[in-house]
Amino acid sequence: NAGVTQTPKFQVLKTGQSMTLQCAQDMNHNSMYWYRQDPGMGLRLIYYSASEGTTDKGEVPNGYNVSRLNKREFSLRLESAAPSQTSVYFCASSQKAPPDTQYFGPGTRLTVL
Amino acid sequence: LAKTTQPISMDSYEGQEVNITCSHNNIATNDYITWYQQFPSQGPRFIIQGYKTKVTNEVASLFIPADRKSSTLSLPRVSLSDTAVYYCLVGGGSNYQLIWGAGTKLIIKP
């Protein structure tokens, strides 16, 4: 039982490049989340998915797209990376909708040059 | 949206009780208060959750006054392994709006 897994662990991009961050959970959870964490700012919700095929914008969705491929997987795509998107990205899942307990992945550290 | 405010850092010693307070003046009627712990290079981990009054589990207690505009996480008899960043999270009552505090870095000294 791996919990929540994220790939890659580290990534360096140049401005304008695109990439997809992958997230998968094996706990049969319904809800999934993408956050970014910046120094001194805590976590900010980018997108939320209540179930397969449904997604909702969070606090900071601009510059990102998401896809809930199936119940297990929730990917985050940066179409044209910008230095302001340099951050640590966390994926999380919960059995039920908020405020149910969230289980987090190990994070992806992204640097955009 | 509720805004959460917590101290940036705190120090304490092994064996002491530590209390970390979070302010959330604009908390909505249906919002819950949740606390998470985060170690370096890891994702946050759930500690405790409450709506009002007092909640206790095997690792912590959460005190919420009647007006719910603040909450206090209490860690009894801390050890060096409790050194971490602690986050207050408010929301989830009627939708997925989730507001995290900036975190409190707790350092436990021997």
Side-chain angles (χ1 to χ4, degrees), chain A residues 4-106:
Chain A
V4 179
T5 57
Q6 293 183 236
T7 56
K9 285 187 168 55
F10 302 93
Q11 183 71 47
V12 178
L13 294 177
K14 295 181 179 178
T15 296
Q17 287 185 316
S18 62
M19 79 160 295
T20 300
L21 281 64
Q22 305 287 353
C23 173
Q25 52 92 7
D26 62 1
M27 296 175 283
N28 202 35
H29 285 173
N30 293 300
S31 294
M32 297 188 74
Y33 313 72
W34 273 107
Y35 290 96
R36 60 178 290 172
Q37 184 175 42
D38 301 297
M41 297 188 70
L43 283 84
R44 290 183 291 171
L45 183 65
I46 305 172
Y47 271 94
Y48 166 69
S49 172
S51 61
E52 179 183 349
T54 68
T55 60
D56 289 289
K57 294 179 179 179
E59 184 182 354
V60 289
N62 291 343
Y64 305 95
N65 287 302
V66 290
S67 179
R68 183 77 182 267
L69 305 170
N70 47 54
K71 192 172 186 178
R72 290 188 64 247
E73 298 171 293
F74 189 34
S75 61
L76 178 72
R77 182 161 178 83
L78 287 70
E79 291 291 351
S80 179
S84 61
Q85 293 179 305
T86 292
S87 187
V88 180
Y89 291 85
F90 286 101
C91 177
S93 70
S94 61
Q95 177 61 49
K96 297 179 287 187
D100 198 30
T101 301
Q102 295 178 57
Y103 296 84
F104 284 81

Side-chain angles (χ1 to χ4, degrees), chain B residues 31-107:
Chain B
D31 281 347
Y32 283 74
I33 300 151
T34 313
W35 285 80
Y36 284 81
Q37 176 192 55
Q38 187 179 30
F39 296 111
S41 301
Q42 295 185 22
R45 183 175 67 175
F46 173 87
I47 301 174
I48 196 166
Q49 182 181 83
Y51 181 77
K52 61 180 180 181
T53 63
K54 176 183 175 182
V55 179
T56 298
N57 63 21
E58 63 275 11
V59 298
S61 294
L62 178 59
F63 299 91
I64 305 169
D67 66 6
R68 303 199 331 119
K69 293 185 176 182
S70 66
S71 58
T72 299
L73 173 71
S74 181
L75 304 172
R77 298 179 300 281
V78 294
S79 64
L80 295 176
S81 63
D82 291 316
T83 292
V85 179
Y86 292 82
Y87 289 96
C88 168
L89 166 63
V90 173
S94 56
N95 55 39
Y96 57 87
Q97 298 298 319
L98 301 166
I99 303 300
W100 293 74
T104 298
K105 185 173 184 178
L106 175 65
I107 297 174

Side-chain angles (χ1 to χ4, degrees), chain B residues 8-52:
Chain B
I8 294 173
S9 64
M10 295 179 66
D11 291 353
S12 188
Y13 292 90
E14 283 191 293
Q16 299 295 305
E17 178 184 77
V18 171
N19 296 312
I20 306 173
T21 297
C22 180
S23 172
H24 29 80
N25 290 324
N26 296 324
I27 188 169
T29 302
N30 296 328
D31 281 347
Y32 283 74
I33 300 151
T34 313
W35 285 80
Y36 284 81
Q37 176 192 55
Q38 187 179 30
F39 296 111
S41 301
Q42 295 185 22
R45 183 175 67 175
F46 173 87
I47 301 174
I48 196 166
Q49 182 181 83
Y51 181 77
K52 61 180 180 181

